[in-house]
Amino acid sequence: MSEENIYTFENKEYRQTYWHTCSHVLAQAVKRLYPNVKLAIGPSIENGFYYDIDSEVAFTPEILTQIEGEMRKICKEKLKLERFELPREEAIKFMEEKGEPYKVELINDLPEDAVISFYQQGDFVDLCAGPHLDSTGRIKGNGIKLTSCTGAYWRGDSNRKMLQRIYGVAFPKKDELDAYLKQREEALKRDHNKLGRELEYFTTVDCIGQGLPVMLPKGARTIQVLQRWIEDEEQKRGYQLTKTPLMAKSDLYKISGHWDHYLDGMFILGDPHDETKECFALRPMTCPFQYQVFLNRQRSYRDLPMRLGETSTLFRNEDSGEMHGLIRVRQFTISEGHLILRPDQLEEEFKNCLDLANYCLETLGLKEDASFRFSQWDPANPNNKYEGTAEQWEKAQAVMGQILDDLGVEYEVGIDEAAFYGPKLDVQVKNVFGKEDTLITIQIDMLLAERFGMYYIDENGEKALPYIIHRTSMGCYERTLALLIEKYAGALPTWMAPEQVRFLPVTDRAADYCAELSKKLCDDGFRAEVDYRNEKIGKKIREAQLEKVPYMLVVGDRDMENGTVSPRHRADGDLGAMSFAEFETLLKDVVDRKLKK
């Protein structure tokens, strides 16, 4: 990056520093207006910043406007941001005297050797590691907008207090803010959490639970179409289908290491600390189950690669504060697979996994929204997150890095984003709000085969350990559906749409004719319905358009006499009268080619 761009929003680090400083300006503004509030945390995020605040006052849109005004004043004051450090005891006392219990808790949770730093701007001081701009004057007040206020449990724990989270965004220029707000307005219209419910793809019910969506007939049908497509495609590529249990005894997870590294993220059936009784857990992943297929009998090097695929329903005990529509849920289904292979097959099989992932992204229309992240371990991770030695990790990451370079993959590096057993390539896709989530992963594992005793007999008759690739082809079906609803504003491409054709009889006499034609389409594998209601044809067309049905077939007495139909496409409009056979040929071509219409 050129030197003149270092201090612009083209530089991600500068952008995050700018927004981080804005979060401190936000906190200072709230403190000025409401001195009794307690401050929690205020980071920069992918698209702006937020601050979690404990307040008796509910931050209404009117109050957010007042806070914005105070933030602009602070920016005009051009307050210097100055960093200083304190020893642990002094830092705790300093925050106690300021009446900031959340900051005291954060300090107490820091490692013993941690540097405890603060940033001061005028009379406002905040616990923070930084970095920050050197002055509030660097922030353009007319480029600030507080976008919303929501509830957020302290530290994401539903057993802790619910705080108020104020979200904001800021840009160096007012026209950049205006452009962002216009884009956000469009994003709100496309938000799957709103649109998916309005179009009746899914719903959530309080008595079922958070993060446990109910797929309504439209959503269930679309996921079924995607699942059949993926399973058929994987079969063409040499995958063997498995179906494994949804739960297992703790013994299995202890062998794999998930019991040590992932227990808090699992749903446990029984007491995990009582060694005298059996304890089960719902599966958060399928790998240790699929390994049993390999272990079912002795394997030769000629049996490899073994490509195992499964449509896996998984369960993960996500924090309640992380739940969002279909993007992040507690029960979900993924196109999971594990490849067990010889070391000499690693690069070719990794390439094939990447080819499948790219095929899925391109077919779904999500390729342009995707980016790649090489997720690596962090040897300094304080939580002992990873299995294996430094040498094993360095080898695995070197092998994977070489493969990615050989394949010409452009990626960013994500430190401390690896799985506990190996590095991975994450395919990241942004939703309409610009938030990035992982859709597809391809992971290299050089550790778990030994833990499970997964030996094969090599060409010399010796026992050898295979490498394992963990991968998804399309990723999570629920998350994919959410992204598709947003991508296409609910108008899913015809090949995956839950209802592809709706017959609209103009008269009662035409209804039986429509029923006959609809049955013919359904018998031929298409998804068609008839609107039998005694309503004006204009209303029927408008409602079908609002429901994003790809093709509407208006059928009147003349069509019955001539054996024709008059199709309308939701985007292209009236296609003119044609024979039913011609329409079915047109529909088949659109579906078979998986066109984006």
Side-chain angles (χ1 to χ4, degrees):
M1 180 173 292
S2 61
E3 191 169 336
E4 62 267 22
N5 289 332
I6 291 175
Y7 299 106
T8 71
F9 265 37
E10 291 179 28
N11 181 351
K12 182 178 179 181
E13 289 184 15
Y14 178 79
R15 188 167 67 243
Q16 294 298 315
T17 300
Y18 191 99
W19 284 338
H20 193 181
T21 307
C22 286
S23 75
H24 280 224
V25 173
L26 166 59
Q28 184 178 15
V30 173
K31 272 290 194 180
R32 282 185 177 181
L33 296 171
Y34 302 96
N36 294 326
V37 302
K38 310 299 180 188
L39 301 178
I41 58 171
S44 63
I45 52 177
E46 224 166 327
N47 281 289
F49 56 92
Y50 71 77
Y51 216 110
D52 286 347
I53 300 170
D54 186 353
S55 171
E56 297 300 321
V57 176
F59 295 125
T60 62
E62 293 75 21
I63 290 178
L64 292 184
T65 301
Q66 294 174 9
I67 296 170
E68 276 181 24
E70 194 63 35
M71 291 177 71
R72 294 189 184 100
K73 290 180 186 177
I74 293 169
C75 293
K76 287 181 179 179
E77 292 170 15
K78 299 182 179 179
L79 303 174
K80 286 183 64 179
L81 277 91
E82 298 177 301
R83 183 180 186 275
F84 64 92
E85 299 173 5
L86 289 176
R88 179 182 296 271
E89 295 306 319
E90 288 184 36
I92 292 171
K93 183 180 178 183
F94 183 59
M95 285 288 106
E96 285 177 339
E97 289 173 351
K98 286 187 170 293
E100 299 289 0
Y102 299 102
K103 303 294 184 182
V104 172
E105 182 177 330
L106 291 171
I107 295 170
N108 279 322
D109 287 348
L110 290 172
E112 285 298 323
D113 58 350
V115 174
I116 303 172
S117 60
F118 298 83
Y119 279 83
Q120 180 162 1
Q121 56 201 55
D123 59 358
F124 176 75
V125 181
D126 203 355
L127 172 72
C128 189
H132 285 286
L133 303 178
D134 61 351
S135 167
T136 62
R138 299 281 186 190
I139 300 168
K140 304 305 177 186
N142 64 357
I144 293 173
K145 180 66 179 177
L146 298 182
T147 53
S148 65
C149 182
T150 63
Y153 289 112
W154 170 231
R155 307 191 102 167
D157 185 345
S158 59
N159 296 315
R160 306 293 296 274
K161 187 166 185 177
M162 174 74 79
L163 308 178
Q164 294 183 73
R165 177 171 293 178
I166 300 177
Y167 284 98
V169 71
F171 291 89
K173 297 178 182 177
K174 176 69 162 56
D175 58 351
E176 292 175 339
L177 173 64
D178 292 341
Y180 170 82
L181 293 176
K182 185 177 180 181
Q183 181 185 19
R184 189 171 184 274
E185 186 179 345
E186 176 62 23
L188 287 170
K189 294 177 185 175
R190 291 171 173 257
D191 181 6
H192 86 278
N193 214 5
K194 173 179 179 290
L195 190 55
R197 296 173 194 270
E198 291 174 353
L199 293 174
E200 297 187 342
Y201 278 87
F202 76 99
T203 188
T204 50
V205 183
D206 286 344
C207 63
I208 291 179
Q210 196 176 15
L212 298 169
V214 175
M215 303 308 301
L216 299 175
K218 285 184 180 179
R221 182 66 69 198
T222 302
I223 286 178
Q224 182 190 56
V225 170
L226 295 174
Q227 179 181 328
R228 287 174 172 173
W229 165 57
I230 290 295
E231 289 181 352
D232 288 347
E233 183 61 32
E234 289 184 344
Q235 183 174 330
K236 292 176 190 175
R237 295 175 183 241
Y239 282 80
Q240 301 177 70
L241 187 66
T242 68
K243 188 173 179 61
T244 56
L246 298 180
M247 67 176 77
K249 295 194 299 183
S250 60
D251 305 49
L252 183 72
Y253 304 114
K254 288 176 181 176
I255 296 171
S256 68
H258 290 94
W259 201 253
D260 293 329
H261 294 277
Y262 205 75
L263 185 62
D264 290 343
M266 297 165 68
F267 288 101
I268 307 300
L269 308 175
D271 184 351
H273 306 296
D274 187 348
E275 298 289 340
T276 65
K277 296 179 181 177
E278 278 190 339
C279 181
F280 287 77
L282 298 176
R283 65 180 185 187
M285 78 305 296
T286 311
C287 44
F289 296 84
Q290 282 197 323
Y291 296 164
Q292 307 312 310
V293 177
F294 177 90
L295 290 166
N296 187 53
R297 60 177 172 82
Q298 190 176 77
R299 304 290 174 177
S300 160
Y301 70 97
R302 293 189 181 90
D303 295 322
L304 305 183
M306 177 181 280
R307 306 182 189 98
L308 304 175
E310 181 164 340
T311 303
S312 304
T313 297
L314 306 179
F315 306 85
R316 294 184 184 174
N317 191 10
E318 301 277 7
D319 289 336
S320 59
E322 297 294 321
M323 299 298 104
H324 175 60
L326 300 178
I327 292 284
R328 193 168 291 277
V329 291
R330 286 175 169 152
Q331 176 184 311
F332 56 95
T333 303
I334 66 174
S335 55
E336 194 166 14
H338 296 89
L339 292 82
I340 304 163
L341 42 99
R342 304 190 308 265
D344 63 284
Q345 297 169 325
L346 180 60
E347 182 160 356
E348 182 66 21
E349 291 302 316
F350 191 98
K351 177 182 177 182
N352 292 340
C353 290
L354 184 58
D355 180 71
L356 175 57
N358 279 322
Y359 165 74
C360 291
L361 289 169
E362 288 166 359
T363 306
L364 295 171
L366 296 175
K367 183 66 184 290
E368 64 186 25
D369 305 310
S371 61
F372 295 97
R373 182 180 71 196
F374 182 5
S375 295
Q376 303 180 4
W377 82 318
D378 180 3
N381 187 290
N383 299 318
N384 192 26
K385 175 181 173 182
Y386 302 103
E387 289 279 322
T389 65
E391 291 75 20
Q392 288 172 313
W393 274 93
E394 287 166 8
K395 179 183 178 184
Q397 291 183 173
V399 168
M400 187 166 177
Q402 186 63 55
I403 291 173
L404 295 176
D405 291 342
D406 289 347
L407 298 177
V409 178
E410 294 183 11
Y411 57 83
E412 290 187 354
V413 172
I415 300 298
D416 203 25
E417 297 290 342
F420 71 82
Y421 48 77
K424 55 181 177 164
L425 179 68
D426 288 323
V427 180
Q428 305 292 105
V429 178
K430 290 183 178 180
N431 65 15
V432 285
F433 296 105
K435 185 181 183 304
E436 204 172 70
D437 284 292
T438 301
L439 186 63
I440 297 170
T441 63
I442 307 172
Q443 308 173 17
I444 293 179
D445 173 7
M446 299 181 177
L447 298 175
L448 293 190
E450 185 171 15
R451 296 192 68 147
F452 279 89
M454 295 170 64
Y455 293 94
Y456 67 93
I457 304 302
D458 67 16
E459 59 270 33
N460 299 315
E462 302 291 333
K463 289 172 63 176
L465 284 167
Y467 285 174
I468 299 172
I469 295 177
H470 305 240
R471 48 100 276 184
T472 53
S473 50
M474 189 199 66
C476 170
Y477 285 93
E478 290 83 359
R479 184 171 290 179
T480 298
L481 177 58
L483 293 168
L484 291 170
I485 290 171
E486 294 180 351
K487 175 75 175 182
Y488 296 104
L492 299 184
T494 303
W495 72 271
M496 68 174 78
E499 180 184 358
Q500 296 168 319
V501 179
R502 183 175 296 181
F503 287 87
L504 306 177
V506 178
T507 64
D508 289 340
R509 293 183 299 278
D512 289 342
Y513 180 61
C514 288
E516 180 183 334
L517 296 182
S518 176
K519 184 177 185 304
K520 173 73 167 59
L521 283 182
C522 291
D523 288 346
D524 289 342
F526 300 106
R527 298 180 289 282
E529 296 182 16
V530 181
D531 186 343
Y532 292 107
R533 295 176 303 158
N534 187 22
E535 298 283 1
K536 291 182 179 179
I537 194 65
K539 181 177 181 181
K540 289 183 177 182
I541 291 173
R542 283 194 303 275
E543 291 185 358
Q545 286 276 165
L546 289 172
E547 293 179 40
K548 316 291 186 182
V549 179
Y551 289 94
M552 295 145 273
L553 297 191
V554 180
V555 180
D557 291 346
R558 184 176 297 176
D559 291 301
M560 291 177 61
E561 294 167 7
N562 298 332
T564 59
V565 291
S566 299
R568 293 178 61 88
H569 186 265
R570 63 189 171 197
D572 300 336
D574 190 354
L575 303 181
M578 63 181 71
S579 71
F580 177 72
E582 287 176 317
F583 171 73
E584 188 168 14
T585 299
L586 180 155
L587 180 62
K588 185 176 187 304
D589 180 63
V590 169
V591 171
D592 287 352
R593 292 167 59 195
K594 293 184 170 54
L595 300 180
K596 310 296 190 302
K597 62 183 291 186

